[in-house]
Amino acid sequence: MEDKTFTISVYSENNVGLLNRISGIFLKRHINILSLNVSESEIENVSRFIIVVNTTEKWVQNIVGQIEKQIDVIKAFYHTDEETIFLENALFKIASNLLFDEKQIQNIIKESQSTIVTVSRDFFVISKSGRRSEIEELYEKIKPYGIMQFVRSGRISVSKQKMEISALLETFK
């Protein structure tokens, strides 16, 4: 089996220590987490972890099985990139003088479909949402002008297919 990128979605109660236990499952198997995002889900009082890994389907099946054994976990799913719609977000902090002195910066912002979030005397901030490759492309175009700060979020995603998590939770009521 060949390695592929998988997005693992974990629905859980929001309890202290769960993130540590979940990351330990990957550590024991020497599987690197490429991206991790935890937020509220569409279900009240239920959190959703989005974990991106590059491994074989056999390993991801084993991992999902181990995650589901955690007492706080309600349900875990895994999907390939083709089965999900996903984005990342990034912020670029750049010196303000470049916005006015380097006309190419304005073209780069427009062509990359980025947004200027704020402008101050010393800096301005660009926001970009998209696939990792789009953010990396913008980074490479802006890098020669000087980036004061850069941050990128973990992947956020939704599956193309319906995940029956809401129906599953109804059975527990």
Side-chain angles (χ1 to χ4, degrees), residues 118-133:
T118 190
V119 178
S120 76
R121 179 181 303 275
D122 299 323
F123 64 88
F124 68 102
V125 177
I126 300 170
S127 172
K128 171 68 179 157
S129 292
R131 297 203 175 231
R132 181 171 283 240
S133 60

Side-chain angles (χ1 to χ4, degrees), residues 13-167:
E13 297 174 29
N14 190 9
N15 291 331
V16 175
L18 181 59
L19 177 58
N20 193 30
R21 291 194 312 273
I22 287 175
S23 65
I25 292 169
F26 293 92
L27 177 65
K28 289 176 192 170
R29 288 158 185 77
H30 301 281
I31 295 175
N32 189 37
I33 295 174
L34 302 175
S35 172
L36 172 66
N37 188 13
V38 183
S39 69
E40 297 173 341
S41 74
E42 66 277 17
I43 303 157
E44 191 175 338
N45 299 320
V46 174
S47 295
R48 183 172 179 194
F49 292 68
I50 304 290
I51 306 165
V52 180
V53 295
N54 193 9
T55 190
T56 64
E57 187 161 7
K58 181 179 186 244
W59 274 109
V60 82
Q61 287 172 343
N62 290 340
I63 289 167
V64 167
Q66 288 297 306
I67 290 171
E68 285 189 328
K69 290 180 181 177
Q70 300 299 309
I71 195 150
D72 303 326
V73 171
I74 298 164
K75 184 70 178 158
F77 303 88
Y78 71 90
H79 298 95
T80 63
D81 283 355
E82 295 78 28
E83 298 170 326
T84 60
I85 299 162
F86 59 92
L87 294 173
E88 293 183 6
N89 295 303
L91 295 174
F92 299 82
K93 181 179 173 183
I94 302 166
S96 284
N97 66 311
L98 294 173
L99 187 58
F100 306 105
D101 297 344
E102 295 287 343
K103 296 298 179 197
Q104 186 58 26
I105 290 280
Q106 293 176 22
N107 292 336
I108 291 169
I109 293 167
K110 186 176 180 181
E111 290 168 5
S112 68
Q113 299 176 337
S114 300
T115 307
I116 297 175
V117 177
T118 190
V119 178
S120 76
R121 179 181 303 275
D122 299 323
F123 64 88
F124 68 102
V125 177
I126 300 170
S127 172
K128 171 68 179 157
S129 292
R131 297 203 175 231
R132 181 171 283 240
S133 60
E134 296 168 337
I135 292 170
E136 288 172 350
E137 182 181 333
L138 177 59
Y139 182 91
E140 291 303 319
K141 286 181 179 178
I142 292 178
K143 186 177 176 182
Y145 297 98
I147 297 171
M148 296 169 74
Q149 290 182 34
F150 169 75
V151 64
R152 178 175 45 218
S153 73
R155 177 182 287 191
I156 54 173
S157 70
V158 293
S159 64
K160 291 180 182 177
Q161 297 294 320
K162 187 176 181 179
M163 288 196 298
E164 297 294 335
I165 187 68
S166 295

